[in-house]
Amino acid sequence: MLFKEIHLQGIKSGEITLAFRKWQKVSVNSGSLLHTSIGLVEIGDIQVVNEVDITESDAQQSGFTDKEHLLKSFGKNSSGTIFQISVRYHSPDPRIKLREQTELSDQHFMDLKKKLERLDNYSKQGHWTNKVLLTIKDNPNLHAIGISKLTGFEKDWLKLNIRKLKNLGLTMSHHIGYEVSPLGNKYLDKLSKLKLKS
């Protein structure tokens, strides 16, 4: 579930408490937390509503000037059910604090190593985590298409799996491209030293 930046700022300030989406089936769960540019957004109650029951106040609480603008946001050719979703700002993104760490204990390093090995072992692409991390480290701010060409991995698959590295605090996303985080650099340094010893 994606939000426009202006709506995210409204959610953070508390001015926006609702979102409306027209979907074939609901794509979020009540109580779930979404990672966004402002931090974590919590999904509250989800209700099916009829277009005629949406009020002007509802539209304004979802960040639109009026009901007409809200309905136009669905698109002319959209079909499906309209869902009214309660939203609220939850907290800062915990991945930011995690990725900014410049100290990496041996235990944390081993925990990360095991998690990455698990990602490798369960992937149909084979061992990909270190290859992707090193490619991002050597090519900061390179977009997914460029990383795809360098690694041989398909672009959409890459974007999905780089997100897994981001969730571990190892990478950062920019407006264009990616970068290895301070924590990611510490991890790669320790991994390199470990390989030299073995």
Side-chain angles (χ1 to χ4, degrees):
M1 182 175 178
L2 300 176
F3 295 93
K4 291 183 177 179
E5 191 64 30
I6 189 171
H7 290 163
L8 285 172
Q9 294 304 323
I11 292 170
K12 188 171 185 179
S13 69
E15 294 176 12
I16 292 178
T17 58
L18 293 176
F20 290 87
R21 296 292 186 272
K22 185 179 275 191
W23 290 324
Q24 296 297 327
K25 62 179 181 178
V26 67
S27 67
V28 291
N29 296 317
S30 179
S32 60
L33 297 175
L34 303 181
H35 288 280
T36 74
S37 62
I38 61 164
L40 298 179
V41 171
E42 183 177 359
I43 301 298
D45 292 335
I46 303 171
Q47 300 176 1
V48 173
V49 293
N50 293 316
E51 186 176 305
V52 293
D53 295 325
I54 299 173
T55 66
E56 294 291 328
S57 176
D58 292 336
Q60 290 167 6
Q61 285 183 67
S62 64
F64 292 89
T65 52
D66 53 39
K67 181 176 177 178
E68 181 183 357
H69 282 93
L70 167 62
L71 296 178
K72 281 183 179 178
S73 73
F74 296 143
K76 291 181 180 179
N77 300 318
S78 65
S79 62
T81 304
I82 299 176
F83 294 92
Q84 176 184 292
I85 305 154
S86 296
V87 294
R88 75 175 187 90
Y89 176 72
H90 182 271
S91 60
D93 190 335
R95 296 176 301 183
I96 295 175
K97 185 177 180 180
L98 179 64
R99 74 191 187 201
E100 294 300 329
Q101 291 181 16
T102 55
E103 297 295 328
L104 180 59
S105 68
D106 290 343
Q107 184 60 54
H108 190 185
F109 168 73
M110 292 308 296
D111 289 343
L112 282 171
K113 188 170 179 290
K114 286 177 182 177
K115 288 176 181 178
L116 293 183
E117 286 171 353
R118 195 176 301 124
L119 289 176
D120 286 337
N121 292 334
Y122 280 96
S123 172
K124 293 179 180 178
Q125 303 291 338
H127 288 206
W128 63 272
T129 56
N130 289 343
K131 184 176 184 180
V132 171
L133 274 172
L134 289 168
T135 301
I136 294 173
K137 180 181 173 68
D138 293 339
N139 303 273
N141 299 307
L142 185 63
H143 45 58
I145 295 174
I147 298 171
S148 174
K149 289 178 181 177
L150 291 173
T151 60
F153 297 125
E154 193 267 330
K155 184 193 74 172
D156 290 335
W157 179 91
L158 261 175
K159 292 173 77 172
L160 180 67
N161 283 277
I162 290 174
R163 197 172 300 140
K164 295 175 184 177
L165 300 177
K166 183 179 179 181
N167 289 340
L168 292 173
L170 299 173
T171 63
M172 301 182 287
S173 300
H174 296 301
H175 184 63
I176 297 177
Y178 307 93
E179 183 181 357
V180 171
S181 68
L183 177 66
N185 278 310
K186 282 291 181 183
Y187 172 80
L188 289 172
D189 287 345
K190 278 195 175 249
L191 186 66
S192 178
K193 291 174 183 175
L194 184 67
K195 287 179 177 179
L196 288 174
K197 289 179 181 178
S198 59

